[in-house]
Amino acid sequence: MSCLFCKIVERSIPADIVYENDHALAFRDIRPVAPTHALVIPKVHLACIHDATPEQTPLLGELFAAARAVAEKLGLGEKGYRLVVNNGDDGGQTVHHLHVHVLGGRGLSWPPG
Ligand code: 5GP
Ligand code: ZN
């Protein structure tokens, strides 16, 4: 059985898709924590950044390039934005398909909680 985000890739559950290329898909987060909040995922299932193999390093590059493209498309390029990857329980990861949060549209505080 495929995971939640694999189902979004397969279009078996709906999402507000904002960007797609051969490697990555991006859609708006269902519970946004900033005025603009999108998730960028690899189209292939990879549970988390810590599970990435050396062979998947090019895919990780594709994911960050896609996150940059999403930020540009959503109008965040000029004022700035934040990319976040949560990993594992202490990292706050709740969906176990690697995703990059693209957050922007307001000033973001540091450090995170
Ligand atoms: P994490 O906590 O794993 O880094 O982030 C998972 C994110 O996925 C959360 O921000 C959550 O709101 C989002 N999310 C969970 N389920 C869905 C869903 O069905 N659709 C969309 N678009 N986002 C989801
Ligand atoms: Zn998956």
Side-chain angles (χ1 to χ4, degrees):
M1 199 179 72
S2 58
C3 83
L4 176 66
F5 286 178
C6 283
K7 287 183 177 136
I8 290 177
V9 173
E10 294 159 5
R11 308 302 205 264
S12 59
I13 66 166
D16 183 357
I17 292 170
V18 294
Y19 178 86
E20 181 172 19
N21 66 22
D22 288 348
H23 307 280
L25 183 73
F27 48 90
R28 292 190 192 271
D29 197 291
I30 205 166
R31 283 183 294 274
V33 298
T36 300
H37 186 178
L39 303 171
V40 187
I41 69 170
K43 286 185 166 179
V44 296
H45 182 81
L46 171 60
C48 63
I49 188 71
H50 205 72
D51 281 358
T53 63
E55 292 72 30
Q56 289 172 315
T57 298
L59 177 64
L60 302 182
E62 291 289 347
L63 205 58
F64 269 76
R68 185 231 175 258
V70 168
E72 178 68 17
K73 187 171 179 185
L74 298 182
L76 303 176
E78 193 178 331
K79 293 203 78 177
Y81 54 93
R82 184 173 296 167
L83 304 181
V84 174
V85 178
N86 296 326
N87 186 94
D89 289 343
D90 277 3
Q93 185 176 9
T94 59
V95 177
H96 297 280
H97 180 129
L98 176 62
H99 48 281
V100 179
H101 295 258
V102 180
L103 298 159
R106 65 171 169 84
L108 298 163
S109 59
W110 190 264

